[in-house]
Amino acid sequence: DTAVSQTPKYLVTQMGNDKSIKCEQNLGHDTMYWYKQDSKKFLKIMFSYNNKELIINETVPNRFSPKSPDKAHLNLHINSLELGDSAVYFCASSQPGGTGGSSSPLHFGNGTRLTVT
Amino acid sequence: KNQVEQSPQSLIILEGKNCTLQCNYTVSPFSNLRWYKQDTGRGPVSLTIMTFSENTKSNGRYTATLDADTKQSSLHITASQLSDSASYICVVGNQFYFGTGTSLTVIP
């Protein structure tokens, strides 16, 4: 029944490796997101994506790339992992509101803790 | 610049006591403000949402207030419980500008 699920929950890997984190939502939302939460617990947007538009936070290295096989999935691929990539990554989804209306709340997965050694 | 600042950064209170968390924002245009609760090891979960015309919204022991003129919001927690220990995040607008969060610890 989990609305937004992401796997794996924990990921430990060595520098230089390439890894992926998967995300699926069963809420029928049009927009999905990836956030990075640093050691100070601040959530920073990395990408937002719907079937029309990918918006990339310009501070995100191009080693990070989102891949969406369909509306319910948004996977995160990371190439050439670096020590500084260690963080908790959250997937989320929402349904944009109509003109002037509020979007639905963000629904988050439970995060993937990535540790790069 | 669109910013959301929260205070205090962290807070420790005794079980059963009340507390108030603050959120100041400069997001423009304003559409809505949400408070989220993030338990350790979990993703944030929405507690309340307020639009421009609302100045208070309750969800059980959680009451959020909004002053759109001064661009301030508060989250008041009544009769705190150990399970209230979490991070509380203020998020403003449909573009989801995140605050810096307040870490609340409720001790027995």
Side-chain angles (χ1 to χ4, degrees):
Chain A
D1 275 316
T2 304
V4 180
S5 59
Q6 51 183 112
T7 56
K9 186 169 177 62
Y10 300 97
L11 182 54
V12 181
T13 188
Q14 291 184 327
M15 283 174 54
N17 284 348
D18 302 337
K19 290 293 178 185
S20 295
I21 306 173
K22 295 184 177 180
C23 179
E24 175 182 6
Q25 56 100 0
N26 62 7
L27 296 165
H29 288 166
D30 285 333
T31 307
M32 296 183 72
Y33 309 79
W34 277 103
Y35 285 85
K36 179 181 181 180
Q37 189 168 46
D38 59 26
S39 57
K40 294 184 179 179
K41 304 286 186 158
F42 183 66
L43 277 156
K44 186 175 180 181
I45 182 77
M46 300 177 72
F47 305 99
S48 69
Y49 182 80
N50 61 27
N51 57 6
K52 301 174 185 175
E53 188 178 19
L54 171 65
I55 300 175
I56 302 171
N57 184 325
E58 61 186 15
T59 67
V60 175
N62 57 15
R63 297 181 295 103
F64 291 79
S65 58
K67 297 278 195 296
S68 181
D70 55 57
K71 189 175 118 169
H73 296 84
L74 184 66
N75 303 324
L76 181 65
H77 295 266
I78 316 170
N79 295 325
S80 303
L81 278 156
E82 300 177 357
L83 293 177
D85 297 333
S86 297
V88 183
Y89 292 85
F90 285 95
C91 176
S93 71
S94 75
Q95 185 63 24
T99 303
S102 293
S103 59
S104 72
L106 284 166
H107 291 257
F108 285 89
N110 283 326
T112 295
R113 181 173 292 279
L114 172 64
T115 303
V116 183
T117 62
Chain B
K1 186 177 178 182
N2 294 309
Q3 284 188 314
V4 181
E5 305 258 344
Q6 292 184 240
S7 62
Q9 187 174 12
S10 61
L11 183 62
I12 301 174
I13 62 172
L14 289 173
E15 185 179 11
K17 298 295 185 183
N18 303 336
C19 67
T20 300
L21 315 180
Q22 300 290 345
C23 173
N24 297 337
Y25 62 92
T26 58
V27 175
S28 182
F30 175 83
S31 55
N32 56 70
L33 184 148
R34 295 185 173 96
W35 283 93
Y36 285 78
K37 178 187 179 189
Q38 184 177 16
D39 291 312
T40 301
R42 306 295 294 270
V45 174
S46 179
L47 288 175
T48 65
I49 175 174
M50 288 179 292
T51 58
F52 182 85
S53 59
E54 297 173 300
N55 55 22
T56 187
K57 184 72 72 77
S58 290
N59 179 358
R61 294 178 297 102
Y62 300 102
T63 299
T65 64
L66 173 65
D67 185 333
D69 292 331
T70 61
K71 298 189 177 182
Q72 295 179 324
S73 175
S74 64
L75 181 69
H76 187 74
I77 304 175
T78 304
S80 61
Q81 300 176 357
L82 298 179
S83 60
D84 292 332
S85 295
S87 290
Y88 291 84
I89 307 168
C90 175
V91 183
V92 182
N94 285 337
Q95 291 187 319
F96 303 115
Y97 292 97
F98 276 74
T100 48
T102 293
S103 176
L104 174 66
T105 303
V106 181
I107 57 176

